[in-house]
Structure formats: C-alpha cells, structure tokens
Amino acid sequence: MTHQPTVALLGIGTMGAGMARNIAAAGLPLRVWNRTREKADALADVATVAGTVKEAVSGADVVVTMLYDADSVAATMEEARGHLADDAVWLQQSTVGVAGTERLAELAADLGVAMVDAPVLGTRKPAEDGALVVLASGPEHTRDRVAPVLDAIGSKTLWIGEVGAGSRLKLAANAWVFTVVEGVAESLALTRELGLDPALFLETIKGGALDAPYVQVKGGAMLEGSFDPAFALGGALKDAELILEAAGGVGLDLGLLPGIRAHFARAVEAGHGDQDMAATWLEH
C-alpha cells in the first residue's frame, strides 16, 4: 500500500479513544463509530464521526474492532456485511479468547475479508501514549497494509504466526497481569491483618529483585483508594474466564487463576466492576 490507508475504528472505549487519537496524529484518514455515539463525538476534532457501521467501513482500507467481547464484535461486523471494500483488512484487536477468535475468523471468511488477530498489551495510558505492545497474527500479505496503524498505536509489534496465535499469547500475558494484581492485594491484606501498616510491604520490596513498576503502581492505587479505570475489573473478570476456558480446552489445570477469578467476581458482585481491577483490594 503506497498511500496512507483510510481507517475505520469501531469501538471507542477506554482503549479506543487513545488509539484513535494516535492513528489520527500519524496522518491516517480516520472514521470512528461507537454504539453510544457520545463517545465517538468526543473525537470529532480528529476524525469523521460515523452514525452507522456502514458509514464507517464503506471504502475503508483497514477496519479496526476494539470492542468488549466476541458477541459485540460479531454483531458489529455483521452490520458491516456488504459494505466492506473488496481489499479491506479487518484488524481485530479486542480480547475475545481462543473460541472467540476462531468464531470471528469464520465470520471473516464468510464476509470475504482478510483478518489480522492483533490484541494488545497495555491499558489506557499506553493507549493514549501510542505505547501498546501488539501481538499480531495473520496472513503474510496483510502485514504491510496494517503496519501504519500498528506503528501509530504501539511501541512494538510482534508477529507470531497464523490467526489466533496473538489471542493465545494475550491470554498468557493477562494471566500474569492478574497474578501480579491479585498477589499484591493479598500481600497487602496479609500485612494489614497481621497488625502492620500494609504500606510496609511495598516499601520492603521497593527497588529489589521482587519489585516491578506495576507492583508499585497497583499497590499504591490500592492503598490510596484510586480506582479510575485503566483496565476495568469487569473486563478483567471476563478475561479471567477466557483464560480458564482456554486452559480447560487443552487440559491444563491452572492453580492460581480459579482463585483470582473468584476474587474478581466477588469484587464485581460488590459493585466495583466499573472501577480499575485494583479494586479487587476492596474485597480483601
């Protein structure tokens, strides 16, 4: 592709808004659509706001989906049926799990569109900074076509293999993220219940081999009660369930994730689903 591709971004949530601004900043013509239009309207200064999926995708070279789950992605792309350009590439970046990706790959074949499976590592701030890590998988001939978009939204793109490989690696990465978050919450809770200031746990490991920037960020948010969502707890619970489903599908018995999933569910049931996943701490 010798020209700048026209991009249609479907889904303007926590991640999509930052991604959209970086795509536009890279000079790519951009159309945005969201089922709740107000979120898309906030991008009217950098993009064309489409009232329908049809308007967004018609003539677009790259169609990006950044939606909640496989059902919402499938429903949205069904609305695009008959309106996708003949040579369009569908850049599917939602976290939908193994079975969800297989389902969407079948839909792509039915729609007659090449699909790249490319979920991302990172939350709201990396999305705003164009610093996401993209886990891409798909046909070789699509790489150059989607490169301008991936370069705009991310600091690194890993091409892993055929469609589905990116989503599988994303589940493994999220399993680690959730392990860290829940581990920090439990260590803070244990410190507190043993009669000590929980901040002492973070101070003890700070700067050492057991520390990590993410540990201090999430632990600090827990102690400060700062739960503005970078990665909402409800979405984390959804992804934890996708991880367990994938593990069960290959006969892998995970020791930690069932407990993490249970703690996330308890916090969601307590009304914290729209807060950051660090809000799991509130139910410890």
Side-chain angles (χ1 to χ4, degrees), residues 10 12 15 101 103 112 136 152 179 190 200 237 264:
L10 311 178
I12 309 300
M15 302 290 288
T101 300
R103 171 186 171 191
T179 297
L190 183 60
L200 287 171
L237 174 59
F264 284 3

Side-chain angles (χ1 to χ4, degrees), residues 2-273:
T2 57
H3 68 290
Q4 294 287 62
T6 296
V7 180
L9 176 58
L10 311 178
I12 309 300
T14 299
M15 302 290 288
M19 291 167 61
R21 291 199 174 274
N22 283 302
I23 292 169
L28 308 184
L30 177 64
R31 306 161 186 176
V32 294
W33 171 88
N34 196 70
R35 203 164 295 281
T36 303
R37 178 164 178 143
E38 289 77 9
K39 293 182 179 180
D41 284 339
L43 295 166
D45 58 325
V46 297
T48 299
V49 179
T52 65
V53 173
K54 172 185 174 181
E55 292 174 19
V57 305
S58 295
D61 300 298
V62 179
V63 176
V64 181
T65 47
M66 195 60 170
L67 297 154
Y68 182 70
D69 57 13
D71 287 344
S72 57
V73 174
T76 298
M77 290 303 291
E78 282 291 353
E79 293 182 41
R81 186 181 292 275
H83 305 293
L84 296 162
D86 291 340
D87 60 349
V89 177
W90 174 11
L91 186 57
Q92 204 305 100
Q93 302 205 273
S94 318
T95 301
V96 298
V98 173
T101 300
E102 291 172 351
R103 171 186 171 191
L104 296 179
E106 292 175 359
L107 176 59
D110 189 47
L111 293 172
V113 62
M115 175 177 140
V116 175
D117 165 43
V120 299
L121 299 184
T123 53
R124 182 181 59 194
K125 186 63 163 59
E128 292 171 348
D129 294 344
L132 297 168
V133 175
V134 182
L135 307 178
S137 56
E140 182 78 26
H141 74 272
T142 63
R143 294 189 182 190
D144 289 343
R145 305 193 66 210
V146 299
V149 180
L150 300 185
D151 290 346
I153 66 172
S155 59
K156 178 169 69 174
T157 297
L158 296 177
W159 282 96
I160 302 162
E162 298 300 317
V163 167
S167 282
R168 294 195 298 273
L169 186 56
K170 174 64 185 292
L171 294 180
N174 271 8
W176 174 241
V177 171
F178 301 159
T179 297
V180 173
V181 170
E182 188 64 26
V184 170
E186 292 205 347
S187 288
L188 290 175
L190 183 60
T191 306
R192 178 194 65 205
E193 294 307 310
L194 292 176
L196 301 171
D197 180 352
L200 287 171
F201 164 69
L202 295 179
E203 183 62 29
T204 298
I205 65 169
K206 187 173 183 179
L210 299 177
D211 197 13
Y214 202 65
V215 169
Q216 296 295 332
V217 168
K218 290 303 181 185
M222 292 173 190
L223 295 182
E224 294 165 10
S226 178
F227 302 117
D228 188 31
F231 187 161
L233 186 59
L237 174 59
K238 181 262 294 183
D239 288 359
E241 291 172 342
L242 291 176
I243 293 165
L244 290 169
E245 177 185 288
V250 294
L252 179 62
D253 181 18
L254 296 177
L256 298 178
L257 260 294
I260 292 171
R261 186 260 170 214
H263 284 156
F264 284 3
R266 184 169 64 196
V268 168
E269 290 165 5
H272 306 301

